[in-house]
Amino acid sequence: VHGDSIFEMEQGKKEDDVERDEEIHERAGGRGRGRGWGGRGRGTASYTKKTESEKEESKKKYKYEPITPEKAKAEVVPYFYAEYGTGARAKAEAEISTFLEASLKDGASPDKKKAFVDIINAHSLRKPVSHIELLEKKLSESMLKLLPDEKTKKLFESYLELKQIVTHECYDRKPYILETLFFPNKENEFKVADVMKKAKTTMEICIFAFTNNVLRDAVMFAFYRGVKVRIIADDECAKFLGSDIMHLASIGIPTELDNNPKVHMHNKFCIIDNLVLLTGSYNWTTQATKDNQENLLIIENEGVIKNYGKYFEELWVSFKPNFVTPAKAKELMESPEKGKEWEQSLHQTKHILNIMPVSYTHLRAHETLRYLVCRLLLEKKKVFA
């Protein structure tokens, strides 16, 4: 390796990220394998060789462009749901109040019920919870205006308070699935990145293996826009050549590693703004995107996300001794001693590369070691002559 840093080796993979899509995995009929609300199930996968023109188009579409703080701050990204300024919210509230007062007074006919649904859709009030609570509030206020006396109003207010307890204590909000994604699929990789780039306040990442440049850039994009990002990663995978963990830690993203070399931190999930959860078997690697059979669920559910958040905080406290400072991350990336260690291991034998103990499953599942082995073979091919 001759002292090459992890970052330099990572830069050399960028062309591979474009070229690796020469054979795209598609479903029969040309449909992708990701499934949203309109999906039809997985079907039988077929593999279609791309024409030269399709390859060129793919290169343009997936062209790598370095992420900078200036680019990240300048890009406009739509959020998960409609966001209201003061004026727009006031307009929505006024329209809802006028409609409800008229409907409650005259009776809620089928036509008026349909009109109410149309108002909900027009103002995108199905999510998040704060929008739903606005509807409940306006419905209660409109009803109170129609009650004849203070005694009746107090009875109705008591009813509402008790109903709220039943709603919050006995029911979970209906889970709102944003997307179900399956791999191998290059387009789904970009769907995941697009979701991550919507983050506005926080992003908690708990990931086993992270070598995917597209998702790394999505994390950097969010971080440069002021999102408070935290990362928990597996200690062994984080130190592999090609891992993005140390690079992200080196730019100032708080990062911790698990503290037991005998076991793995094998989670793969991400919480965005305490609103949306990404979770599934999908590791954030080129291998998982390109070859592995993987799944990823993108879901909005207050109760589920609350549990994941609590679990993340427990891990964060537990792994605090293994916090990776930016200085430590840069040292691990740039130290020429790392290169010398790999160099020495090559001279131990003329026929065997004795790199490190690793299971066959992990060698096959995570491309990092394979990249390393190929590079070492090419650089030291005379050893095998």
Side-chain angles (χ1 to χ4, degrees):
V1 178
H2 301 293
D4 285 359
S5 70
I6 297 174
F7 183 67
E8 287 167 344
M9 188 170 183
E10 188 69 13
Q11 293 294 98
K13 290 167 55 182
K14 291 183 177 59
E15 287 301 319
D16 295 337
D17 288 340
V18 176
E19 293 295 337
R20 71 174 190 246
D21 198 39
E22 286 190 352
E23 284 200 12
I24 191 168
H25 303 272
E26 295 178 344
R27 258 205 240 156
R31 294 179 62 86
R33 295 177 72 181
R35 186 181 66 179
W37 284 111
R40 298 182 180 176
R42 292 184 62 168
T44 303
S46 63
Y47 303 93
T48 307
K49 184 75 175 178
K50 282 188 172 183
T51 64
E52 289 302 319
S53 61
E54 287 174 332
K55 289 179 185 178
E56 289 301 316
E57 187 63 30
S58 178
K59 287 181 180 180
K60 292 178 183 177
K61 184 175 181 181
Y62 303 131
K63 183 179 179 182
Y64 176 81
E65 293 184 1
I67 293 296
T68 65
E70 293 74 22
K71 284 184 180 179
K73 292 173 183 176
E75 187 170 336
V76 177
V77 182
Y79 201 49
F80 296 106
Y81 53 82
E83 295 182 281
Y84 290 124
T86 305
R89 184 179 179 88
K91 182 180 178 182
E93 289 185 11
E95 184 176 347
I96 294 168
S97 296
T98 302
F99 175 83
L100 288 175
E101 288 172 18
S103 298
L104 290 170
K105 189 182 296 183
D106 301 332
S109 65
D111 288 343
K112 287 182 178 178
K113 290 178 182 177
K114 182 179 180 302
F116 190 36
V117 172
D118 291 340
I119 290 174
I120 292 173
N121 291 333
H123 291 285
S124 301
L125 295 173
R126 292 186 181 276
K127 56 176 183 164
V129 172
S130 59
H131 286 5
I132 299 170
E133 289 174 346
L134 170 64
L135 286 171
E136 293 174 340
K137 177 185 175 184
K138 288 300 171 185
L139 185 58
S140 302
E141 288 176 353
S142 299
M143 188 65 190
L144 282 168
K145 289 180 181 179
L146 298 175
L147 297 177
D149 53 60
E150 289 300 318
K151 183 178 180 180
T152 307
K153 288 181 179 180
K154 286 182 179 179
L155 285 172
F156 183 68
E157 287 172 349
S158 298
Y159 159 77
L160 290 176
E161 290 171 0
L162 294 173
K163 179 178 177 294
Q164 188 177 34
I165 291 173
V166 172
T167 301
H168 285 274
E169 295 297 327
C170 302
Y171 293 93
D172 269 337
R173 291 286 182 185
K174 179 181 176 182
Y176 186 90
I177 297 176
L178 301 176
E179 198 86 50
T180 51
L181 303 178
F182 300 99
F183 299 83
N185 188 299
K186 175 66 179 178
E187 291 184 5
N188 285 348
E189 174 189 52
F190 279 83
K191 286 183 180 179
V192 175
D194 288 343
V195 169
M196 294 168 66
K197 289 167 73 174
K198 293 179 186 294
K200 280 184 172 290
T201 57
T202 60
M203 181 184 291
E204 284 87 28
I205 298 168
C206 204
I207 194 70
F208 174 62
F210 194 167
T211 64
N212 186 304
N213 288 346
V214 173
L215 301 186
R216 177 200 66 191
D217 287 354
V219 175
M220 292 170 62
F221 180 91
F223 179 68
Y224 287 149
R225 289 163 69 93
V227 175
K228 294 180 180 179
V229 181
R230 289 186 291 168
I231 298 174
I232 294 174
D234 180 73
D235 61 330
E236 182 181 340
C237 288
K239 295 170 186 174
F240 285 168
L241 289 174
S243 173
D244 289 316
I245 296 299
M246 293 304 169
H247 176 63
L248 294 172
S250 73
I251 66 173
I253 296 177
T255 302
E256 293 182 0
L257 308 178
D258 70 297
N259 50 14
N260 190 336
K262 296 182 180 180
V263 298
H264 287 298
M265 199 300 299
H266 209 248
N267 288 297
K268 303 113 182 170
F269 68 85
C270 174
I271 306 168
I272 299 173
D273 294 351
N274 288 316
L275 176 71
V276 172
L277 172 71
L278 292 76
T279 186
S281 70
Y282 178 62
N283 265 313
W284 295 6
T285 65
T286 304
Q287 177 78 23
T289 300
K290 176 174 171 275
D291 295 317
N292 291 358
Q293 308 299 317
E294 307 278 5
N295 70 82
L296 184 71
L297 179 67
I298 304 174
I299 186 171
E300 176 195 11
N301 180 265
E302 186 179 4
V304 171
I305 291 172
K306 186 176 181 180
N307 288 335
Y308 268 83
K310 181 181 178 183
Y311 177 58
F312 183 92
E313 295 300 336
E314 290 172 354
L315 292 180
W316 189 258
V317 172
S318 175
F319 299 152
K320 196 70 175 177
N322 281 19
F323 185 86
V324 182
T325 64
K328 181 63 176 176
K330 290 176 183 176
E331 178 188 342
L332 290 170
M333 290 169 62
E334 298 170 358
S335 173
E337 295 303 314
K338 293 296 178 183
K340 291 178 181 177
E341 290 173 13
W342 294 116
E343 178 98 356
Q344 290 168 2
S345 70
L346 287 173
H347 294 289
Q348 292 177 4
T349 173
K350 290 186 176 182
H351 302 287
I352 298 174
L353 281 173
N354 184 21
I355 297 173
M356 66 177 67
V358 63
S359 70
Y360 174 74
T361 301
H362 281 84
L363 179 60
R364 196 165 176 271
H366 304 295
E367 80 285 358
T368 307
L369 284 178
R370 295 216 306 276
Y371 272 111
L372 175 62
V373 169
C374 290
R375 175 171 174 149
L376 294 174
L377 287 173
L378 287 172
E379 292 187 351
K380 292 293 180 181
K381 58 185 178 182
K382 61 182 180 181
V383 173
F384 300 91

